[in-house]
């Protein structure tokens, strides 16, 4: 428990953190990775360079400081952090390393001695948050290990098929090297994939949504090739998969994780995605169709052009055996082939027919942050309640991105 005086110290630090939060965590990462170079294989070095992770952690620390007396408001953010940490196999003893480096960085950046009351207050506050995360993570590790086919840590998977889906997206079909059972994961969940990145000479992890519903036989991820700038920010894992990983190669995967999953078996579902945001939607759509869920299902997708459009044949095949599925495609440019497109230009939900957007439905949105912001606002404008809308952002900083997209008081925004 923090004392009243410690709470005052923490609150007094909030404005300073607001101004220097990113600088502080930037300093913190450099210090920690210098002292513990082995952690370079845990953190995504692309995020270090682009500042994504620095912002994410700075945001989490700030949010914690702001809500020190009411940690319940962090509930959703904590779940997302826990899922990400567990997916990365973060261990309880690593909290001491992060804590020590964070406190030293606060002390050094703000020019306060380590033995000051302010640092003692931050030590207590960090300890409180660490305890919450460690306990929640312990529970998730126990749960995922207990389910049939589940595992903790990294498990080897062989690439049994590498299948281009479009000019930018390629699917990797993965089978467990140990030949053991696979878990019945929930559609919409992601795995961390760890691979040696030749440019960096170290292993790097990155999260990918599973792009098909659980089938007990194999896992599938569908990966977008990144531009040079995106690759720098994302740590090259995607491009390593595209360029260096071939059929027969082995990747390390963590157990499927994440809370962006189907909310209800009894409601209509509307899937809205852009670009590679289609991947969790394909898994969800597959699950809805496999269970022949009776309520209406809409699949609304936006693509840049027909060459970057992926999995349209798979969607058409599902539609054939699942007639209640309604589809809608917005393509920014006029296709040259006979591809059926409902809108040429950006997706505008106000012009999508009301039959595709039922009032009583769960809405799932995945795509770039700007896209999610626009769709979220459109859905609110169409009378859909915020609790009906579920969103998933790619990449680290996803929590901040989702909260920003929703226009809610940013829980983790720096
Ligand atoms: C109280 C302590 C901690 C807090 C508040 C915290 C918070 C966060 C947040 C907000 C994110 C970003 C999630 C997202 O938006 O996707 C994150 C990601 C991450 N955290 Fe933590 N974390 C803590 C402790 C730790 C520890 C002890 C480790 C292990 C050394 C760790 C390793 C990571 C890694 C590897 C990521 C993903 C970053 C990336 O992809 O580059 N965290 N954490």
């Amino acid at each position: 428990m923090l004392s009243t005086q410690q709470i005052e110290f923490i609150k007094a630090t909030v404005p300073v953190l607001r101004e220097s939060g990113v600088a502080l965590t930037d300093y913190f990462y450099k210090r920690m990775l210098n002292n513990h170079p082995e952690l370079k294989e845990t953190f995504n070095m692309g995020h270090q360079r682009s500042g994504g992770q620095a912002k994410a952690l700075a945001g989490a620390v700030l949010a914690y400081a702001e809500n020190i007396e009411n940690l319940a408001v962090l509930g959703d953010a904590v779940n997302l952090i826990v899922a990400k940490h567990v997916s990365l196999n973060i261990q309880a003893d690593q909290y001491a390393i992060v804590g020590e480096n964070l406190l030293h960085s606060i002390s050094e950046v703000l020019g306060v001695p380590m033995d000051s009351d302010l640092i003692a207050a931050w030590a207590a506050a960090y300890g409180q948050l660490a305890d919450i995360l460690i306990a929640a993570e312990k529970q998730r590790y126990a749960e995922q290990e207990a389910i049939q086919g589940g595992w903790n840590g990294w498990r080897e998977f062989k690439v049994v098929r590498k299948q281009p889906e479009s000019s930018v997206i390629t699917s990797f079909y993965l089978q467990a090297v140990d030949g053991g059972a696979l878990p019945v994961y929930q559609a919409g969940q992601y795995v961390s994939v760890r691979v040696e990145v030749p440019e960096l000479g170290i292993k790097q992890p990155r999260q990918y949504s599973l792009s098909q519903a659980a089938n007990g036989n194999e896992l599938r991820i569908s990966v977008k090739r990144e531009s040079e700038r995106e690759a720098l920010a994302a740590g090259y894992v995607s491009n390593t998969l595209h360029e260096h990983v071939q059929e027969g190669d082995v990747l390390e995967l963590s157990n499927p994780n994440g809370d962006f999953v189907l909310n209800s078996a009894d409601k209509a579902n509307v899937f809205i995605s852009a670009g590679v945001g289609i991947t969790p939607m394909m898994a969800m759509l597959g699950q809805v169709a496999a269970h022949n869920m009776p309520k209406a299902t809409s699949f609304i997708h936006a693509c840049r052009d027909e060459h970057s459009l992926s999995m349209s044949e798979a969607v058409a095949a599902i539609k054939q055996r699942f007639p209640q599925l309604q589809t809608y495609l917005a393509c920014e440019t006029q296709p040259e082939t006979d591809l059926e497109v409902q809108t040429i230009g950006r997706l505008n939900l106000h012009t999508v027919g009301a039959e595709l957007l039922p009032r009583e439905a769960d809405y799932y949105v995945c795509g770039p942050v700007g896209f999610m912001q626009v769709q979220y606002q459109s859905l609110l404008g169409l009378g859909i309640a915020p609790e009906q809308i579920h969103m998933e952002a790619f990449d680290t900083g996803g929590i901040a991105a989702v909260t920003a997209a929703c226009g809610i008081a940013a829980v983790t925004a720096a």
Side-chain angles (χ1 to χ4, degrees):
M1 248 333 245
L2 274 78
S3 69
T4 317
Q5 197 199 19
Q6 283 178 321
I7 291 175
E8 288 311 314
F9 273 133
I10 297 294
K11 287 194 157 179
T13 325
V14 169
V16 190
L17 271 177
R18 271 222 177 89
E19 275 173 30
S20 71
V22 174
L24 172 81
T25 48
D26 203 25
Y27 187 99
F28 151 71
Y29 277 106
K30 287 200 180 98
R31 189 183 194 282
M32 181 173 72
L33 295 177
N34 217 14
N35 290 340
H36 293 273
E38 74 282 2
L39 285 179
K40 286 185 182 164
E41 296 206 333
T42 300
F43 285 92
N44 188 310
M45 299 315 291
H47 295 149
Q48 307 304 310
R49 292 200 220 170
S50 71
Q53 170 60 22
K55 280 186 201 142
L57 190 73
V61 171
L62 178 60
Y64 179 48
E66 275 178 325
N67 296 294
I68 190 101
E69 285 165 304
N70 180 18
L71 285 177
V73 298
L74 293 182
D76 285 350
V78 167
N79 287 340
L80 288 166
I81 297 171
V82 165
K84 183 66 95 59
H85 281 173
V86 169
S87 168
L88 284 158
N89 197 29
I90 301 303
Q91 298 297 316
D93 58 4
Q94 292 174 318
Y95 278 83
I97 299 174
V98 167
E100 195 218 310
N101 284 282
L102 190 62
L103 296 177
H104 271 279
S105 303
I106 292 175
S107 154
E108 284 164 38
V109 169
L110 301 184
V112 271
M114 274 304 281
D115 59 1
S116 62
D117 289 343
L118 177 66
I119 298 299
W122 269 104
Y126 175 82
Q128 199 170 309
L129 184 54
D131 285 348
I132 293 170
L133 293 178
I134 290 169
E137 286 160 19
K138 189 175 169 203
Q139 194 183 336
R140 270 213 198 194
Y141 282 122
E143 283 164 8
Q144 70 180 20
E145 201 172 28
I147 51 171
Q148 171 154 26
W151 71 96
N152 282 338
W154 300 104
R155 184 173 176 189
E156 288 191 328
F157 280 75
K158 188 192 268 194
V159 178
V160 292
R161 195 169 141 212
K162 185 176 174 185
Q163 164 84 48
E165 301 282 3
S166 72
S167 62
V168 283
I169 296 177
T170 292
S171 286
F172 295 79
Y173 291 77
L174 307 161
Q175 280 181 354
V177 170
D178 59 25
L182 294 180
V184 182
Y185 59 86
Q186 295 186 66
Q189 290 192 306
Y190 60 81
V191 288
S192 286
V193 173
R194 201 164 69 157
V195 66
E196 168 106 14
V197 174
E199 286 97 327
L200 303 176
I202 55 171
K203 286 183 187 176
Q204 283 282 274
R206 179 141 194 224
Q207 291 71 46
Y208 296 100
S209 297
L210 292 163
S211 59
Q212 65 183 12
N215 63 16
N217 177 39
E218 86 227 326
L219 305 180
R220 185 180 76 174
I221 55 169
S222 302
V223 178
K224 180 174 162 259
R225 180 192 291 277
E226 286 148 347
S227 67
E228 187 59 28
R229 192 177 56 79
E230 288 168 334
L232 190 69
Y236 298 102
V237 178
S238 296
N239 288 0
T240 299
L241 292 173
H242 270 268
E243 285 157 26
H244 299 286
V245 172
Q246 308 301 344
E247 288 176 3
D249 287 348
V250 171
L251 304 173
E252 292 175 317
L253 263 70
S254 62
N255 195 82
N257 219 311
D259 300 322
F260 182 68
V261 297
L262 288 172
N263 187 45
S264 159
D266 306 320
K267 273 190 170 172
N269 291 301
V270 180
F271 303 110
I272 304 169
S273 59
V276 73
I278 196 170
T279 52
M281 306 307 188
M282 288 307 295
M284 289 183 171
L285 180 59
Q287 186 161 318
V288 167
H291 290 89
N292 213 4
M293 291 186 187
K295 293 285 166 68
T297 305
S298 307
F299 190 87
I300 300 170
H301 184 64
C303 66
R304 204 161 274 163
D305 56 43
E306 62 188 306
H307 307 292
S308 60
L309 174 67
S310 58
M311 303 177 184
S312 53
E313 282 167 18
V315 175
I318 292 176
K319 202 170 174 178
Q320 287 240 319
R321 58 188 156 85
F322 187 57
Q324 63 266 51
L325 173 63
Q326 300 191 76
T327 58
Y328 187 99
L329 180 62
C331 197
E332 283 181 31
T333 54
Q334 174 78 52
E336 285 159 16
T337 59
D338 58 359
L339 180 71
E340 201 194 326
V341 172
Q342 280 68 41
T343 294
I344 304 295
R346 298 225 159 164
L347 175 64
N348 176 358
L349 290 179
H350 291 280
T351 61
V352 173
E355 66 287 359
L356 274 98
L357 304 169
R359 270 295 169 103
E360 298 299 318
D362 277 309
Y363 285 78
Y364 301 88
V365 187
C366 186
V369 175
F371 173 84
M372 292 200 299
Q373 271 166 342
V374 170
Q375 309 319 323
Y376 185 80
Q377 292 306 328
S378 295
L379 289 173
L380 293 186
L382 289 164
I384 306 302
E387 54 274 16
Q388 291 173 260
I389 308 171
H390 314 280
M391 305 213 284
E392 173 92 321
F394 321 128
D395 235 343
T396 291
I399 303 170
V402 167
T403 50
C406 301
I408 337 171
V411 175
T412 62

